[in-house]
Amino acid sequence: MKVYINGKFYSEKNSKISVFDHGLLYGDGVFEGIRAYHGRVFKLKEHIDRLFYSAKAILLNIPMSKQQLMDATVETCRKNNLNDGYVRLVVTRGAGTLGLNPNRCSNPQVIIIADTIQLYPASLYKKGMEIVTVATTRNHHNAVNPAIKSLNYLNNILAKIEANTAGYEEAIMLNSEGYVAECTGDNLFIIKDNQMFTPSLSSGALHGITRQTSIDLVGELGVPTSEPNLTRYDLYNADECFLTGTGAEIVPVVKIDERKIGNGKPGKITKKLVKAYQELTKVSGEPINKIK
Ligand code: PMP
């Protein structure tokens, strides 16, 4: 594997950054997870845009233009012969002192790793997932704003630990007002009476790229989406539920807090969305092997 660090490629063994990097010391940095399908990088522009928004929010200056970063991402896939896989793009604050002060960090590190990913077994997509609500609250937007895809995921990790120790794969996180926000690494949707609902960004959801794609694709099926405050009651009484994320794609949910959702099987609209999403990944994206 060849890893991109600041414009150069290194073998996996030689891919190193400083132990004084504030990305390591404080989770001070931002990242993106991107997919490649069929020789194309899916939704690359959207991911790069979000990375720059995250960076702006933490006053981190990415030392490259968006176009340069897109080219570097595609180049990293090419160098690794990656046609289908997962790309992790990381920008850290860079090496500084042991103190918090970000102004002492001189060189943001731009890292691109192109690898494979398998989050969940295929059977789970067929049967649907069972998930639970956990006590760890989604970050308040006056703390680390949930819209920032920062390197500090400890809050989500705590929620994931709660789910895992209870025997579940994923956790639903509520915001500090008690409304549904999202899962630890995925956005959440419900369908009720042929309408789709998902938590708003201000309720603590990440502006998920797959979230937006799902809203668009389900819209094309004639199902409108709105973003009201949702409570657990709304989830329990939904006809269908699913999660969306770049890594997980579209995951049907069939049980929440031991309440069966709909008939306890992946829903009709969910299944149509899964198909439409798979079709889209076949034809859309930045070609990896285009001749320059
Ligand atoms: N919420 C959180 C907290 C995430 O980390 C992610 C990304 N894994 C998502 C939602 C889904 O976003 P996207 O569809 O852009 O991957």
Side-chain angles (χ1 to χ4, degrees):
M1 182 196 294
K2 294 191 178 70
V3 177
Y4 174 102
I5 306 178
N6 302 327
K8 291 195 184 132
F9 286 94
Y10 299 87
S11 68
E12 193 176 333
K13 209 173 99 215
N14 291 317
S15 304
K16 292 174 182 162
I17 63 161
S18 167
V19 292
F20 290 95
D21 194 301
H22 279 208
L24 173 70
L25 291 176
Y26 297 116
D28 186 356
V30 293
F31 79 101
E32 280 297 320
I34 309 172
R35 282 295 275 270
Y37 294 104
H38 310 288
R40 293 167 184 270
V41 185
F42 191 58
K43 301 278 175 191
L44 179 57
K45 184 178 178 308
E46 287 82 348
H47 283 284
I48 299 290
D49 282 345
R50 188 172 62 185
L51 185 80
F52 274 77
Y53 287 133
S54 294
K56 184 161 190 187
I58 68 163
L59 216 68
L60 170 61
N61 191 17
I62 298 179
M64 294 169 78
S65 68
K66 286 186 179 178
Q67 188 59 51
Q68 284 171 329
L69 203 45
M70 288 208 278
D71 290 347
T73 306
V74 171
E75 178 66 9
T76 307
C77 292
R78 192 162 30 228
K79 274 258 189 311
N80 287 283
N81 290 319
L82 191 90
N83 281 323
D84 290 272
Y86 181 83
V87 182
R88 174 57 59 91
L89 225 163
V90 180
V91 185
T92 73
R93 185 78 69 182
T97 63
L98 289 179
L100 278 180
N101 192 345
N103 296 327
R104 302 235 170 94
C105 304
S106 44
N107 284 315
Q109 302 288 297
V110 180
I111 301 161
I112 310 173
I113 308 166
D115 203 354
T116 53
I117 186 176
Q118 211 217 333
L119 279 184
Y120 301 121
S123 59
L124 200 146
Y125 290 87
K126 244 187 154 165
K127 282 201 324 234
M129 193 185 247
E130 301 183 8
I131 59 179
V132 279
T133 314
V134 295
T136 302
T137 303
R138 190 73 180 103
N139 287 337
H140 191 278
H141 32 252
N142 291 339
V144 181
N145 193 310
I148 302 170
K149 210 164 158 54
S150 88
L151 291 180
N152 198 322
Y153 253 51
L154 197 49
N155 195 54
N156 301 43
I157 291 168
L158 290 176
K160 186 95 174 173
I161 289 170
E162 278 191 73
N164 290 162
T165 51
Y168 296 88
E169 291 272 13
E170 247 302 10
I172 297 171
M173 302 175 80
L174 308 178
N175 64 23
S176 50
E177 289 177 278
Y179 295 115
V180 178
E182 60 176 346
C183 289
T184 66
D186 299 307
N187 290 109
L188 182 143
F189 287 83
I190 55 169
I191 310 264
K192 178 78 179 170
D193 298 333
N194 227 31
Q195 292 183 60
M196 188 154 85
F197 303 95
T198 194
S200 65
L201 305 179
S202 57
S203 68
L206 180 79
H207 192 163
I209 312 287
T210 324
R211 174 184 185 273
Q212 189 56 50
T213 306
S214 301
I215 292 171
D216 295 343
L217 290 174
V218 169
E220 285 168 24
L221 299 172
V223 178
T225 301
S226 56
E227 304 182 10
N229 280 332
L230 294 171
T231 65
R232 283 181 295 165
Y233 171 91
D234 300 313
L235 306 190
Y236 299 156
N237 288 294
D239 300 329
E240 303 182 26
C241 177
F242 61 87
L243 311 181
T244 67
T246 296
E249 302 174 323
I250 318 287
V251 188
V253 171
V254 293
K255 227 183 223 184
I256 299 175
D257 298 337
E258 292 300 316
R259 276 79 162 178
K260 201 194 272 184
I261 304 305
N263 64 2
K265 298 203 174 109
K268 244 182 10 206
I269 294 170
T270 307
K271 286 205 271 196
K272 281 189 189 165
L273 170 62
V274 169
K275 215 159 161 220
Y277 191 79
Q278 280 167 355
E279 291 303 317
L280 187 64
T281 62
K282 285 184 193 158
V283 294
S284 165
E286 200 64 32
I288 291 171
N289 282 311
K290 73 177 169 211
I291 309 296
K292 281 227 161 177

